[in-house]
Amino acid sequence: MTIRVWDYLDEYAAERDDILDAVETVFGSGRLVLGRSVQEFEAGFAGYHGVAHCTGVDNGTNAIKLGLQALGVGPGDEVITVSNTAAPTVVAIDAVGATPVFVDVHPENFLMDTGQVAAAVTPRTRCLLPVHLYGQCVDMAPLEALAAEHGLAILEDCAQAHGARHHGRLAGTMGDAAAFSFYPTKVLGAYGDGGATITDDDQVDRNLRRLRYYGMEDRYYVVSTPAHNSRLDEVHAEILRRKLRRMGDYIAGRRAVADRYAEALADTGLILPETAPGNDHVYYVYVVRHPRRDAVLEALKTYDIELNISYPWPVHTMTGFAHLGYGPGSLPVTERLAGEIFSLPMFPALPPDTQDKVISALREVLANQS
């Protein structure tokens, strides 16, 4: 059987009774849209983060998009972010009519180089959008200082960092609002798409709730536009509500997998993940580097192992964003990393014997590459 970077079947087997009971609970509730399960999950997720509000939406992309709109970001504004991210981060900026402005990343941990952000601020800058990538947080202190100095909003992209901490502060609690994805692969994943935006700001929360429900506050009456139908589904909310209670176990499982990789691969020449100072890493993905990455991945296929690259194309190099004018060499670290990084299998239910096969195959392939 082919080994891939992620699989949910072992976790589903262990949690099957609870997952199916969640589905039965919703189907028997008499309310299939914006009912008790969404309300209780929103309260639980806000409580987990120690913030006042959580608005459940249909996916992580809309969590960012609606978050930007709720913060007042729109046409003519600039949003500073990174190109080493999943494309939805930038698609959401584009969708509200704003212009993404990129800074480079650190080669050691792949996170936003916050030392470059001040030079990127212009009179059009409205928002800073740090991406907490691969399971750990961006250094937020410089961004918070810049935001205070220039009157900017901060929207954290936390799609890959559920439960991660920076100097003890949870990802999602260091800006004006934060967007999360519950795509099935995430640290807290649904059985389909889902997302949420959290905030401590009452007005931002009111904006979010209107935006995700056609611009309505009362049924059938639109208060403001543009707006959307971006509601979190009741079934996904009920599953997430239950899985939220197991967040500590999911994170511990990921860290155990990461520890085994670190010990077994330390002497291979593979560049292993580095945790940035002050961070508690949750290892959404386990991203490594090798200068002959493509040859390594090709060789692993002979062992029936197919791994992933997160991400092979920096966003600024994609034809869909050519209009932004970033040519080759604009973000040298990001561009170099795109040719070297790849992800090893990472999920809490990864069987130890499967991980052993990956480690053994990697050691053999890397020995042949030296």
PDB file of all heavy atoms in Angstrom, residues 68 71-81 98-103 112 116-129 143 146-147 149-154 326:
ATOM      1  N   LEU A  68     -10.735  39.934   6.576  1.00  0.00           N
ATOM      2  CA  LEU A  68     -10.243  41.177   5.982  1.00  0.00           C
ATOM      3  C   LEU A  68     -11.371  42.197   5.833  1.00  0.00           C
ATOM      4  O   LEU A  68     -11.218  43.379   6.188  1.00  0.00           O
ATOM      5  CB  LEU A  68      -9.617  40.895   4.617  1.00  0.00           C
ATOM      6  CG  LEU A  68      -8.278  40.144   4.620  1.00  0.00           C
ATOM      7  CD1 LEU A  68      -7.935  39.675   3.214  1.00  0.00           C
ATOM      8  CD2 LEU A  68      -7.159  41.020   5.182  1.00  0.00           C
ATOM      9  N   LEU A  71     -12.487  43.773   9.002  1.00  0.00           N
ATOM     10  CA  LEU A  71     -11.510  44.742   9.502  1.00  0.00           C
ATOM     11  C   LEU A  71     -11.457  46.002   8.642  1.00  0.00           C
ATOM     12  O   LEU A  71     -10.668  46.910   8.907  1.00  0.00           O
ATOM     13  CB  LEU A  71     -10.125  44.105   9.558  1.00  0.00           C
ATOM     14  CG  LEU A  71      -9.934  43.020  10.621  1.00  0.00           C
ATOM     15  CD1 LEU A  71      -8.637  42.254  10.386  1.00  0.00           C
ATOM     16  CD2 LEU A  71      -9.952  43.631  12.029  1.00  0.00           C
ATOM     17  N   GLY A  72     -12.277  46.041   7.600  1.00  0.00           N
ATOM     18  CA  GLY A  72     -12.350  47.233   6.763  1.00  0.00           C
ATOM     19  C   GLY A  72     -11.378  47.273   5.612  1.00  0.00           C
ATOM     20  O   GLY A  72     -11.146  48.324   5.013  1.00  0.00           O
ATOM     21  N   VAL A  73     -10.792  46.130   5.254  1.00  0.00           N
ATOM     22  CA  VAL A  73      -9.841  46.061   4.149  1.00  0.00           C
ATOM     23  C   VAL A  73     -10.606  45.866   2.849  1.00  0.00           C
ATOM     24  O   VAL A  73     -11.502  45.013   2.755  1.00  0.00           O
ATOM     25  CB  VAL A  73      -8.840  44.906   4.344  1.00  0.00           C
ATOM     26  CG1 VAL A  73      -7.870  44.827   3.158  1.00  0.00           C
ATOM     27  CG2 VAL A  73      -8.078  45.090   5.654  1.00  0.00           C
ATOM     28  N   GLY A  74     -10.235  46.648   1.817  1.00  0.00           N
ATOM     29  CA  GLY A  74     -10.947  46.541   0.553  1.00  0.00           C
ATOM     30  C   GLY A  74     -10.146  47.114  -0.598  1.00  0.00           C
ATOM     31  O   GLY A  74      -8.921  47.269  -0.506  1.00  0.00           O
ATOM     32  N   PRO A  75     -10.816  47.457  -1.692  1.00  0.00           N
ATOM     33  CA  PRO A  75     -10.143  47.965  -2.885  1.00  0.00           C
ATOM     34  C   PRO A  75      -9.256  49.175  -2.580  1.00  0.00           C
ATOM     35  O   PRO A  75      -9.647  50.075  -1.828  1.00  0.00           O
ATOM     36  CB  PRO A  75     -11.302  48.340  -3.811  1.00  0.00           C
ATOM     37  CG  PRO A  75     -12.413  47.426  -3.392  1.00  0.00           C
ATOM     38  CD  PRO A  75     -12.276  47.308  -1.894  1.00  0.00           C
ATOM     39  N   GLY A  76      -8.055  49.149  -3.161  1.00  0.00           N
ATOM     40  CA  GLY A  76      -7.109  50.229  -2.958  1.00  0.00           C
ATOM     41  C   GLY A  76      -6.165  50.030  -1.797  1.00  0.00           C
ATOM     42  O   GLY A  76      -5.149  50.730  -1.689  1.00  0.00           O
ATOM     43  N   ASP A  77      -6.482  49.084  -0.914  1.00  0.00           N
ATOM     44  CA  ASP A  77      -5.628  48.822   0.234  1.00  0.00           C
ATOM     45  C   ASP A  77      -4.524  47.834  -0.118  1.00  0.00           C
ATOM     46  O   ASP A  77      -4.655  47.046  -1.059  1.00  0.00           O
ATOM     47  CB  ASP A  77      -6.455  48.255   1.394  1.00  0.00           C
ATOM     48  CG  ASP A  77      -7.453  49.249   1.950  1.00  0.00           C
ATOM     49  OD1 ASP A  77      -7.179  50.464   1.883  1.00  0.00           O
ATOM     50  OD2 ASP A  77      -8.510  48.812   2.451  1.00  0.00           O
ATOM     51  N   GLU A  78      -3.466  47.846   0.659  1.00  0.00           N
ATOM     52  CA  GLU A  78      -2.392  46.864   0.547  1.00  0.00           C
ATOM     53  C   GLU A  78      -2.342  46.026   1.812  1.00  0.00           C
ATOM     54  O   GLU A  78      -2.570  46.526   2.921  1.00  0.00           O
ATOM     55  CB  GLU A  78      -1.046  47.557   0.333  1.00  0.00           C
ATOM     56  CG  GLU A  78      -0.931  48.251  -1.015  1.00  0.00           C
ATOM     57  CD  GLU A  78       0.387  48.970  -1.210  1.00  0.00           C
ATOM     58  OE1 GLU A  78       1.133  49.132  -0.208  1.00  0.00           O
ATOM     59  OE2 GLU A  78       0.680  49.373  -2.360  1.00  0.00           O
ATOM     60  N   VAL A  79      -2.041  44.735   1.622  1.00  0.00           N
ATOM     61  CA  VAL A  79      -1.924  43.794   2.729  1.00  0.00           C
ATOM     62  C   VAL A  79      -0.558  43.132   2.626  1.00  0.00           C
ATOM     63  O   VAL A  79      -0.238  42.519   1.607  1.00  0.00           O
ATOM     64  CB  VAL A  79      -3.041  42.727   2.674  1.00  0.00           C
ATOM     65  CG1 VAL A  79      -2.860  41.718   3.813  1.00  0.00           C
ATOM     66  CG2 VAL A  79      -4.417  43.386   2.746  1.00  0.00           C
ATOM     67  N   ILE A  80       0.250  43.250   3.666  1.00  0.00           N
ATOM     68  CA  ILE A  80       1.597  42.686   3.653  1.00  0.00           C
ATOM     69  C   ILE A  80       1.550  41.257   4.174  1.00  0.00           C
ATOM     70  O   ILE A  80       1.036  40.999   5.270  1.00  0.00           O
ATOM     71  CB  ILE A  80       2.562  43.533   4.494  1.00  0.00           C
ATOM     72  CG1 ILE A  80       2.646  44.954   3.919  1.00  0.00           C
ATOM     73  CG2 ILE A  80       3.952  42.890   4.524  1.00  0.00           C
ATOM     74  CD1 ILE A  80       3.493  45.911   4.752  1.00  0.00           C
ATOM     75  N   THR A  81       2.099  40.333   3.395  1.00  0.00           N
ATOM     76  CA  THR A  81       2.096  38.920   3.755  1.00  0.00           C
ATOM     77  C   THR A  81       3.314  38.248   3.126  1.00  0.00           C
ATOM     78  O   THR A  81       4.293  38.919   2.789  1.00  0.00           O
ATOM     79  CB  THR A  81       0.768  38.255   3.332  1.00  0.00           C
ATOM     80  OG1 THR A  81       0.690  36.946   3.903  1.00  0.00           O
ATOM     81  CG2 THR A  81       0.621  38.186   1.822  1.00  0.00           C
ATOM     82  N   ALA A  98      -8.036  44.029  -2.505  1.00  0.00           N
ATOM     83  CA  ALA A  98      -6.791  44.592  -1.991  1.00  0.00           C
ATOM     84  C   ALA A  98      -5.599  44.032  -2.765  1.00  0.00           C
ATOM     85  O   ALA A  98      -5.716  43.047  -3.502  1.00  0.00           O
ATOM     86  CB  ALA A  98      -6.654  44.304  -0.499  1.00  0.00           C
ATOM     87  N   THR A  99      -4.437  44.631  -2.565  1.00  0.00           N
ATOM     88  CA  THR A  99      -3.219  44.208  -3.242  1.00  0.00           C
ATOM     89  C   THR A  99      -2.280  43.525  -2.254  1.00  0.00           C
ATOM     90  O   THR A  99      -1.894  44.141  -1.252  1.00  0.00           O
ATOM     91  CB  THR A  99      -2.490  45.419  -3.867  1.00  0.00           C
ATOM     92  OG1 THR A  99      -3.354  46.042  -4.814  1.00  0.00           O
ATOM     93  CG2 THR A  99      -1.201  44.984  -4.552  1.00  0.00           C
ATOM     94  N   PRO A 100      -1.889  42.275  -2.524  1.00  0.00           N
ATOM     95  CA  PRO A 100      -0.904  41.629  -1.656  1.00  0.00           C
ATOM     96  C   PRO A 100       0.489  42.191  -1.899  1.00  0.00           C
ATOM     97  O   PRO A 100       0.887  42.408  -3.049  1.00  0.00           O
ATOM     98  CB  PRO A 100      -0.981  40.153  -2.062  1.00  0.00           C
ATOM     99  CG  PRO A 100      -1.599  40.139  -3.414  1.00  0.00           C
ATOM    100  CD  PRO A 100      -2.401  41.381  -3.568  1.00  0.00           C
ATOM    101  N   VAL A 101       1.198  42.453  -0.832  1.00  0.00           N
ATOM    102  CA  VAL A 101       2.591  42.900  -0.881  1.00  0.00           C
ATOM    103  C   VAL A 101       3.415  41.877  -0.119  1.00  0.00           C
ATOM    104  O   VAL A 101       3.127  41.579   1.046  1.00  0.00           O
ATOM    105  CB  VAL A 101       2.740  44.301  -0.254  1.00  0.00           C
ATOM    106  CG1 VAL A 101       4.214  44.705  -0.190  1.00  0.00           C
ATOM    107  CG2 VAL A 101       1.932  45.327  -1.039  1.00  0.00           C
ATOM    108  N   PHE A 102       4.441  41.323  -0.781  1.00  0.00           N
ATOM    109  CA  PHE A 102       5.182  40.203  -0.200  1.00  0.00           C
ATOM    110  C   PHE A 102       6.496  40.634   0.427  1.00  0.00           C
ATOM    111  O   PHE A 102       7.201  41.507  -0.099  1.00  0.00           O
ATOM    112  CB  PHE A 102       5.483  39.156  -1.280  1.00  0.00           C
ATOM    113  CG  PHE A 102       4.264  38.553  -1.911  1.00  0.00           C
ATOM    114  CD1 PHE A 102       4.031  38.706  -3.271  1.00  0.00           C
ATOM    115  CD2 PHE A 102       3.351  37.847  -1.158  1.00  0.00           C
ATOM    116  CE1 PHE A 102       2.912  38.151  -3.869  1.00  0.00           C
ATOM    117  CE2 PHE A 102       2.222  37.284  -1.738  1.00  0.00           C
ATOM    118  CZ  PHE A 102       2.001  37.436  -3.101  1.00  0.00           C
ATOM    119  N   VAL A 103       6.829  39.994   1.543  1.00  0.00           N
ATOM    120  CA  VAL A 103       8.175  40.041   2.095  1.00  0.00           C
ATOM    121  C   VAL A 103       8.706  38.611   2.123  1.00  0.00           C
ATOM    122  O   VAL A 103       7.947  37.639   2.017  1.00  0.00           O
ATOM    123  CB  VAL A 103       8.206  40.657   3.509  1.00  0.00           C
ATOM    124  CG1 VAL A 103       7.763  42.109   3.468  1.00  0.00           C
ATOM    125  CG2 VAL A 103       7.340  39.859   4.484  1.00  0.00           C
ATOM    126  N   MET A 112       7.693  34.284   8.022  1.00  0.00           N
ATOM    127  CA  MET A 112       7.849  35.679   7.616  1.00  0.00           C
ATOM    128  C   MET A 112       9.052  36.321   8.294  1.00  0.00           C
ATOM    129  O   MET A 112       9.210  36.237   9.531  1.00  0.00           O
ATOM    130  CB  MET A 112       6.575  36.455   7.978  1.00  0.00           C
ATOM    131  CG  MET A 112       6.670  37.966   7.750  1.00  0.00           C
ATOM    132  SD  MET A 112       5.197  38.854   8.336  1.00  0.00           S
ATOM    133  CE  MET A 112       4.118  38.738   6.911  1.00  0.00           C
ATOM    134  N   GLN A 116      11.727  42.679   7.520  1.00  0.00           N
ATOM    135  CA  GLN A 116      11.535  43.294   6.206  1.00  0.00           C
ATOM    136  C   GLN A 116      10.207  44.052   6.082  1.00  0.00           C
ATOM    137  O   GLN A 116       9.970  44.730   5.071  1.00  0.00           O
ATOM    138  CB  GLN A 116      11.584  42.225   5.111  1.00  0.00           C
ATOM    139  CG  GLN A 116      12.906  41.483   5.008  1.00  0.00           C
ATOM    140  CD  GLN A 116      12.934  40.545   3.815  1.00  0.00           C
ATOM    141  OE1 GLN A 116      12.153  40.668   2.875  1.00  0.00           O
ATOM    142  NE2 GLN A 116      13.851  39.583   3.837  1.00  0.00           N
ATOM    143  N   VAL A 117       9.368  43.937   7.076  1.00  0.00           N
ATOM    144  CA  VAL A 117       8.007  44.458   6.929  1.00  0.00           C
ATOM    145  C   VAL A 117       7.963  45.983   6.948  1.00  0.00           C
ATOM    146  O   VAL A 117       7.232  46.606   6.167  1.00  0.00           O
ATOM    147  CB  VAL A 117       7.087  43.861   8.009  1.00  0.00           C
ATOM    148  CG1 VAL A 117       5.688  44.475   7.930  1.00  0.00           C
ATOM    149  CG2 VAL A 117       7.002  42.341   7.849  1.00  0.00           C
ATOM    150  N   ALA A 118       8.741  46.613   7.802  1.00  0.00           N
ATOM    151  CA  ALA A 118       8.693  48.076   7.919  1.00  0.00           C
ATOM    152  C   ALA A 118       8.958  48.749   6.579  1.00  0.00           C
ATOM    153  O   ALA A 118       8.293  49.737   6.219  1.00  0.00           O
ATOM    154  CB  ALA A 118       9.694  48.555   8.970  1.00  0.00           C
ATOM    155  N   ALA A 119       9.914  48.210   5.821  1.00  0.00           N
ATOM    156  CA  ALA A 119      10.250  48.803   4.523  1.00  0.00           C
ATOM    157  C   ALA A 119       9.145  48.612   3.500  1.00  0.00           C
ATOM    158  O   ALA A 119       9.112  49.323   2.479  1.00  0.00           O
ATOM    159  CB  ALA A 119      11.555  48.200   4.003  1.00  0.00           C
ATOM    160  N   ALA A 120       8.257  47.662   3.746  1.00  0.00           N
ATOM    161  CA  ALA A 120       7.163  47.389   2.801  1.00  0.00           C
ATOM    162  C   ALA A 120       5.921  48.220   3.075  1.00  0.00           C
ATOM    163  O   ALA A 120       4.993  48.244   2.264  1.00  0.00           O
ATOM    164  CB  ALA A 120       6.808  45.902   2.843  1.00  0.00           C
ATOM    165  N   VAL A 121       5.884  48.920   4.212  1.00  0.00           N
ATOM    166  CA  VAL A 121       4.716  49.734   4.565  1.00  0.00           C
ATOM    167  C   VAL A 121       4.683  50.994   3.697  1.00  0.00           C
ATOM    168  O   VAL A 121       5.687  51.684   3.531  1.00  0.00           O
ATOM    169  CB  VAL A 121       4.747  50.111   6.055  1.00  0.00           C
ATOM    170  CG1 VAL A 121       3.614  51.076   6.392  1.00  0.00           C
ATOM    171  CG2 VAL A 121       4.646  48.864   6.932  1.00  0.00           C
ATOM    172  N   THR A 122       3.503  51.259   3.134  1.00  0.00           N
ATOM    173  CA  THR A 122       3.278  52.467   2.341  1.00  0.00           C
ATOM    174  C   THR A 122       2.017  53.159   2.859  1.00  0.00           C
ATOM    175  O   THR A 122       1.305  52.620   3.722  1.00  0.00           O
ATOM    176  CB  THR A 122       3.080  52.125   0.846  1.00  0.00           C
ATOM    177  OG1 THR A 122       1.760  51.587   0.661  1.00  0.00           O
ATOM    178  CG2 THR A 122       4.128  51.144   0.347  1.00  0.00           C
ATOM    179  N   PRO A 123       1.686  54.342   2.331  1.00  0.00           N
ATOM    180  CA  PRO A 123       0.435  54.993   2.752  1.00  0.00           C
ATOM    181  C   PRO A 123      -0.817  54.167   2.451  1.00  0.00           C
ATOM    182  O   PRO A 123      -1.873  54.409   3.052  1.00  0.00           O
ATOM    183  CB  PRO A 123       0.441  56.301   1.939  1.00  0.00           C
ATOM    184  CG  PRO A 123       1.881  56.587   1.708  1.00  0.00           C
ATOM    185  CD  PRO A 123       2.517  55.236   1.497  1.00  0.00           C
ATOM    186  N   ARG A 124      -0.704  53.180   1.561  1.00  0.00           N
ATOM    187  CA  ARG A 124      -1.861  52.340   1.214  1.00  0.00           C
ATOM    188  C   ARG A 124      -1.963  51.096   2.094  1.00  0.00           C
ATOM    189  O   ARG A 124      -2.966  50.375   2.026  1.00  0.00           O
ATOM    190  CB  ARG A 124      -1.783  51.924  -0.251  1.00  0.00           C
ATOM    191  CG  ARG A 124      -1.922  53.074  -1.249  1.00  0.00           C
ATOM    192  CD  ARG A 124      -1.738  52.590  -2.680  1.00  0.00           C
ATOM    193  NE  ARG A 124      -2.665  51.520  -3.011  1.00  0.00           N
ATOM    194  CZ  ARG A 124      -2.552  50.717  -4.070  1.00  0.00           C
ATOM    195  NH1 ARG A 124      -1.515  50.862  -4.895  1.00  0.00           N
ATOM    196  NH2 ARG A 124      -3.447  49.786  -4.317  1.00  0.00           N
ATOM    197  N   THR A 125      -0.949  50.838   2.892  1.00  0.00           N
ATOM    198  CA  THR A 125      -0.974  49.626   3.729  1.00  0.00           C
ATOM    199  C   THR A 125      -2.102  49.734   4.743  1.00  0.00           C
ATOM    200  O   THR A 125      -2.219  50.726   5.470  1.00  0.00           O
ATOM    201  CB  THR A 125       0.361  49.431   4.456  1.00  0.00           C
ATOM    202  OG1 THR A 125       1.428  49.421   3.500  1.00  0.00           O
ATOM    203  CG2 THR A 125       0.359  48.114   5.215  1.00  0.00           C
ATOM    204  N   ARG A 126      -2.915  48.682   4.786  1.00  0.00           N
ATOM    205  CA  ARG A 126      -4.061  48.669   5.712  1.00  0.00           C
ATOM    206  C   ARG A 126      -3.969  47.525   6.712  1.00  0.00           C
ATOM    207  O   ARG A 126      -4.506  47.615   7.804  1.00  0.00           O
ATOM    208  CB  ARG A 126      -5.364  48.530   4.897  1.00  0.00           C
ATOM    209  CG  ARG A 126      -6.635  48.470   5.722  1.00  0.00           C
ATOM    210  CD  ARG A 126      -6.928  49.797   6.403  1.00  0.00           C
ATOM    211  NE  ARG A 126      -8.119  49.712   7.228  1.00  0.00           N
ATOM    212  CZ  ARG A 126      -8.130  49.303   8.494  1.00  0.00           C
ATOM    213  NH1 ARG A 126      -7.002  48.934   9.081  1.00  0.00           N
ATOM    214  NH2 ARG A 126      -9.261  49.261   9.164  1.00  0.00           N
ATOM    215  N   CYS A 127      -3.278  46.449   6.330  1.00  0.00           N
ATOM    216  CA  CYS A 127      -3.321  45.245   7.172  1.00  0.00           C
ATOM    217  C   CYS A 127      -2.018  44.464   7.036  1.00  0.00           C
ATOM    218  O   CYS A 127      -1.431  44.396   5.957  1.00  0.00           O
ATOM    219  CB  CYS A 127      -4.504  44.373   6.749  1.00  0.00           C
ATOM    220  SG  CYS A 127      -4.740  42.870   7.730  1.00  0.00           S
ATOM    221  N   LEU A 128      -1.587  43.855   8.130  1.00  0.00           N
ATOM    222  CA  LEU A 128      -0.492  42.891   8.144  1.00  0.00           C
ATOM    223  C   LEU A 128      -1.103  41.511   8.302  1.00  0.00           C
ATOM    224  O   LEU A 128      -1.950  41.294   9.172  1.00  0.00           O
ATOM    225  CB  LEU A 128       0.471  43.175   9.298  1.00  0.00           C
ATOM    226  CG  LEU A 128       0.995  44.612   9.406  1.00  0.00           C
ATOM    227  CD1 LEU A 128       1.912  44.748  10.614  1.00  0.00           C
ATOM    228  CD2 LEU A 128       1.714  45.038   8.130  1.00  0.00           C
ATOM    229  N   LEU A 129      -0.673  40.574   7.441  1.00  0.00           N
ATOM    230  CA  LEU A 129      -1.254  39.233   7.464  1.00  0.00           C
ATOM    231  C   LEU A 129      -0.136  38.184   7.612  1.00  0.00           C
ATOM    232  O   LEU A 129       0.328  37.606   6.632  1.00  0.00           O
ATOM    233  CB  LEU A 129      -2.062  38.979   6.187  1.00  0.00           C
ATOM    234  CG  LEU A 129      -3.199  37.967   6.259  1.00  0.00           C
ATOM    235  CD1 LEU A 129      -4.070  38.037   5.016  1.00  0.00           C
ATOM    236  CD2 LEU A 129      -2.685  36.540   6.445  1.00  0.00           C
ATOM    237  N   LEU A 143       5.596  43.070  14.459  1.00  0.00           N
ATOM    238  CA  LEU A 143       4.362  43.398  13.739  1.00  0.00           C
ATOM    239  C   LEU A 143       3.405  44.193  14.617  1.00  0.00           C
ATOM    240  O   LEU A 143       2.758  45.140  14.148  1.00  0.00           O
ATOM    241  CB  LEU A 143       3.686  42.119  13.249  1.00  0.00           C
ATOM    242  CG  LEU A 143       4.493  41.240  12.292  1.00  0.00           C
ATOM    243  CD1 LEU A 143       3.644  40.076  11.808  1.00  0.00           C
ATOM    244  CD2 LEU A 143       5.021  42.046  11.112  1.00  0.00           C
ATOM    245  N   LEU A 146       4.697  47.743  14.684  1.00  0.00           N
ATOM    246  CA  LEU A 146       4.419  48.443  13.430  1.00  0.00           C
ATOM    247  C   LEU A 146       2.940  48.790  13.309  1.00  0.00           C
ATOM    248  O   LEU A 146       2.578  49.884  12.843  1.00  0.00           O
ATOM    249  CB  LEU A 146       4.836  47.579  12.244  1.00  0.00           C
ATOM    250  CG  LEU A 146       6.302  47.623  11.830  1.00  0.00           C
ATOM    251  CD1 LEU A 146       6.565  46.572  10.752  1.00  0.00           C
ATOM    252  CD2 LEU A 146       6.673  49.015  11.327  1.00  0.00           C
ATOM    253  N   ALA A 147       2.088  47.860  13.691  1.00  0.00           N
ATOM    254  CA  ALA A 147       0.645  48.102  13.610  1.00  0.00           C
ATOM    255  C   ALA A 147       0.248  49.276  14.493  1.00  0.00           C
ATOM    256  O   ALA A 147      -0.553  50.133  14.090  1.00  0.00           O
ATOM    257  CB  ALA A 147      -0.118  46.844  13.999  1.00  0.00           C
ATOM    258  N   GLU A 149       2.222  51.728  15.440  1.00  0.00           N
ATOM    259  CA  GLU A 149       2.835  52.950  14.920  1.00  0.00           C
ATOM    260  C   GLU A 149       2.077  53.523  13.735  1.00  0.00           C
ATOM    261  O   GLU A 149       1.911  54.746  13.611  1.00  0.00           O
ATOM    262  CB  GLU A 149       4.280  52.655  14.505  1.00  0.00           C
ATOM    263  CG  GLU A 149       5.023  53.844  13.915  1.00  0.00           C
ATOM    264  CD  GLU A 149       6.430  53.499  13.454  1.00  0.00           C
ATOM    265  OE1 GLU A 149       6.874  52.350  13.679  1.00  0.00           O
ATOM    266  OE2 GLU A 149       7.091  54.386  12.858  1.00  0.00           O
ATOM    267  N   HIS A 150       1.597  52.651  12.843  1.00  0.00           N
ATOM    268  CA  HIS A 150       0.987  53.100  11.591  1.00  0.00           C
ATOM    269  C   HIS A 150      -0.540  52.958  11.561  1.00  0.00           C
ATOM    270  O   HIS A 150      -1.155  53.263  10.536  1.00  0.00           O
ATOM    271  CB  HIS A 150       1.581  52.315  10.418  1.00  0.00           C
ATOM    272  CG  HIS A 150       3.047  52.559  10.205  1.00  0.00           C
ATOM    273  ND1 HIS A 150       3.540  53.690   9.596  1.00  0.00           N
ATOM    274  CD2 HIS A 150       4.130  51.804  10.546  1.00  0.00           C
ATOM    275  CE1 HIS A 150       4.856  53.623   9.550  1.00  0.00           C
ATOM    276  NE2 HIS A 150       5.245  52.499  10.112  1.00  0.00           N
ATOM    277  N   GLY A 151      -1.131  52.486  12.636  1.00  0.00           N
ATOM    278  CA  GLY A 151      -2.580  52.318  12.658  1.00  0.00           C
ATOM    279  C   GLY A 151      -3.069  51.214  11.747  1.00  0.00           C
ATOM    280  O   GLY A 151      -4.093  51.356  11.064  1.00  0.00           O
ATOM    281  N   LEU A 152      -2.354  50.086  11.735  1.00  0.00           N
ATOM    282  CA  LEU A 152      -2.687  48.972  10.848  1.00  0.00           C
ATOM    283  C   LEU A 152      -3.434  47.882  11.602  1.00  0.00           C
ATOM    284  O   LEU A 152      -3.257  47.700  12.811  1.00  0.00           O
ATOM    285  CB  LEU A 152      -1.398  48.381  10.256  1.00  0.00           C
ATOM    286  CG  LEU A 152      -0.458  49.354   9.556  1.00  0.00           C
ATOM    287  CD1 LEU A 152       0.805  48.632   9.117  1.00  0.00           C
ATOM    288  CD2 LEU A 152      -1.156  50.022   8.372  1.00  0.00           C
ATOM    289  N   ALA A 153      -4.222  47.132  10.872  1.00  0.00           N
ATOM    290  CA  ALA A 153      -4.867  45.946  11.429  1.00  0.00           C
ATOM    291  C   ALA A 153      -3.938  44.745  11.268  1.00  0.00           C
ATOM    292  O   ALA A 153      -3.085  44.714  10.375  1.00  0.00           O
ATOM    293  CB  ALA A 153      -6.186  45.673  10.721  1.00  0.00           C
ATOM    294  N   ILE A 154      -4.086  43.759  12.133  1.00  0.00           N
ATOM    295  CA  ILE A 154      -3.379  42.489  12.007  1.00  0.00           C
ATOM    296  C   ILE A 154      -4.402  41.366  11.941  1.00  0.00           C
ATOM    297  O   ILE A 154      -5.231  41.216  12.838  1.00  0.00           O
ATOM    298  CB  ILE A 154      -2.426  42.225  13.190  1.00  0.00           C
ATOM    299  CG1 ILE A 154      -1.319  43.282  13.254  1.00  0.00           C
ATOM    300  CG2 ILE A 154      -1.812  40.821  13.076  1.00  0.00           C
ATOM    301  CD1 ILE A 154      -0.378  43.104  14.444  1.00  0.00           C
ATOM    302  N   TYR A 326       6.126  40.762  -9.538  1.00  0.00           N
ATOM    303  CA  TYR A 326       7.283  40.183  -8.863  1.00  0.00           C
ATOM    304  C   TYR A 326       8.008  39.239  -9.817  1.00  0.00           C
ATOM    305  O   TYR A 326       7.536  38.140 -10.099  1.00  0.00           O
ATOM    306  CB  TYR A 326       6.847  39.408  -7.615  1.00  0.00           C
ATOM    307  CG  TYR A 326       6.378  40.296  -6.487  1.00  0.00           C
ATOM    308  CD1 TYR A 326       5.055  40.725  -6.417  1.00  0.00           C
ATOM    309  CD2 TYR A 326       7.258  40.718  -5.497  1.00  0.00           C
ATOM    310  CE1 TYR A 326       4.616  41.541  -5.392  1.00  0.00           C
ATOM    311  CE2 TYR A 326       6.828  41.532  -4.460  1.00  0.00           C
ATOM    312  CZ  TYR A 326       5.505  41.945  -4.412  1.00  0.00           C
ATOM    313  OH  TYR A 326       5.080  42.762  -3.390  1.00  0.00           O
TER     314      TYR A 326
END
